[in-house]
Amino acid sequence: MSLTMMALRIAAVEALKAGGTMVGTNVLDSQISAIDQTVDGALKTDQQRPFIAVYSDNSKADDLGATGLRANGRIELTFNCGVSLTMGESNKETGVTEIIEGLPSTDAQFEAILDVVGCQIGRVLTDASNPWAQVFGDLCEFVSKAQVRSSSAAANVRLACGQLKLTVDAYADPPLGQVFAQDSHWPRFLALMELHQVEQLGLFQLMLGQPVTAEYPDFEALTGMTTRDAASLRLYSFEGVPAESRIEKPSSVVDRS
């Protein structure tokens, strides 16, 4: 996993909470029980109302020459959407009404809710007035999206839940101690986390580290190359002259004596 993957997920969750979708603030981060499978193949949920659960799944990065192991490559984000229902069901043998909570089979009304929520996810994540959405967009580039329906494997019944899969090309994780521009996405992300008291703030502060200025860039951390390769490429100095040395314009003085 990676810092950028976690940041994408948190930014998406907070953007959707602030975005005024039909689920309100019932947006979940990686909650496995939002849609779970029973031993008989049926799907269940522990939610009491419509919800969106956000997960980060597969990630693969190729061509690591420029970024080394900091690369994240292509990431698949999954947005599970569902309409839970609390209902009474009469036991035919005992005549007792039992309360059942779970995912109902779908109908036109439930389908409309899922369609609207799917549309709202796309709108929120590209909302220019939503600072969380702007940070989300600064962490990646959109590649593709797909919508998947859910059904009960036991009864082959289409349920009132589904998935929106968003594939993005995520940018590489920053190296430890990187100096960020004041208006770049990582400082804005940390400021938003502090403002909204997001519990992972301390973890990100620890993993990003304190800004460090060194005589030479840390090419090993930036690209994954070894110190020997960096030295052979003369990335640290050129014939004993530091790389960041300034060469002043020549001046001439005429001695008339």
Side-chain angles (χ1 to χ4, degrees):
M1 312 307 275
S2 73
L3 286 181
T4 303
M5 186 182 289
M6 181 163 53
L8 280 168
R9 196 173 59 248
I10 291 173
V13 168
E14 296 299 328
L16 291 169
K17 285 182 178 179
T21 69
M22 289 187 69
V23 306
T25 59
N26 197 27
V27 185
L28 315 171
D29 183 355
S30 306
Q31 186 165 322
I32 192 63
S33 58
I35 297 180
D36 203 3
Q37 191 171 35
T38 63
V39 293
D40 59 358
L43 295 179
K44 66 176 182 178
T45 180
D46 63 355
Q47 297 300 299
Q48 307 293 321
R49 55 194 174 95
F51 64 89
I52 301 172
V54 183
Y55 308 89
S56 50
D57 293 328
N58 302 323
S59 171
K60 183 179 180 181
D62 299 313
D63 301 325
L64 305 183
T67 55
L69 297 180
R70 298 182 299 110
N72 289 300
R74 192 151 290 185
I75 292 177
E76 188 176 87
L77 297 168
T78 300
F79 299 81
N80 278 349
C81 311
V83 182
S84 59
L85 184 67
T86 301
M87 53 190 171
E89 184 177 86
S90 297
N91 189 314
K92 295 181 179 179
E93 296 181 358
T94 64
V96 177
T97 300
E98 301 174 347
I99 301 299
I100 298 176
E101 296 177 350
L103 294 164
S105 57
T106 193
D107 60 17
Q109 182 179 1
F110 290 145
E111 285 295 298
I113 293 175
L114 293 177
D115 289 337
V116 169
V117 171
C119 178
Q120 288 178 328
I121 291 174
R123 288 180 176 177
V124 167
L125 294 182
T126 55
D127 183 0
S129 65
N130 189 321
W132 287 105
Q134 294 303 297
V135 168
F136 180 88
D138 282 338
L139 290 166
C140 65
E141 292 182 359
F142 299 121
V143 176
S144 66
K145 75 170 185 176
Q147 290 181 288
V148 182
R149 286 310 315 254
S150 298
S151 61
S152 170
N156 196 26
V157 175
R158 293 169 69 87
L159 301 176
C161 63
Q163 293 180 333
L164 187 150
K165 293 180 179 288
L166 180 62
T167 303
V168 301
D169 278 333
Y171 300 133
D173 287 352
L176 182 66
Q178 178 173 330
V179 180
F180 299 108
Q182 188 62 35
D183 60 343
S184 63
H185 51 277
W186 282 107
R188 288 189 287 114
F189 178 62
L190 293 176
L192 284 171
M193 293 182 77
E194 183 175 6
L195 178 64
H196 295 276
Q197 300 180 343
V198 179
E199 61 181 357
Q200 294 94 335
L201 172 61
L203 178 60
F204 274 95
Q205 290 173 331
L206 176 66
M207 294 302 295
L208 291 174
Q210 294 298 316
V212 175
T213 56
E215 185 176 2
Y216 302 107
D218 192 350
F219 293 102
E220 295 89 343
L222 286 172
T223 64
M225 70 171 60
T226 63
T227 303
R228 178 180 178 181
D229 289 341
S232 65
L233 292 171
R234 295 185 175 183
L235 296 176
Y236 294 108
S237 63
F238 181 73
E239 295 181 352
V241 179
E244 74 279 6
S245 295
R246 286 187 173 184
I247 299 177
E248 302 291 341
K249 291 183 178 181
S251 60
S252 61
V253 178
V254 179
D255 187 359
R256 299 184 180 275
S257 59

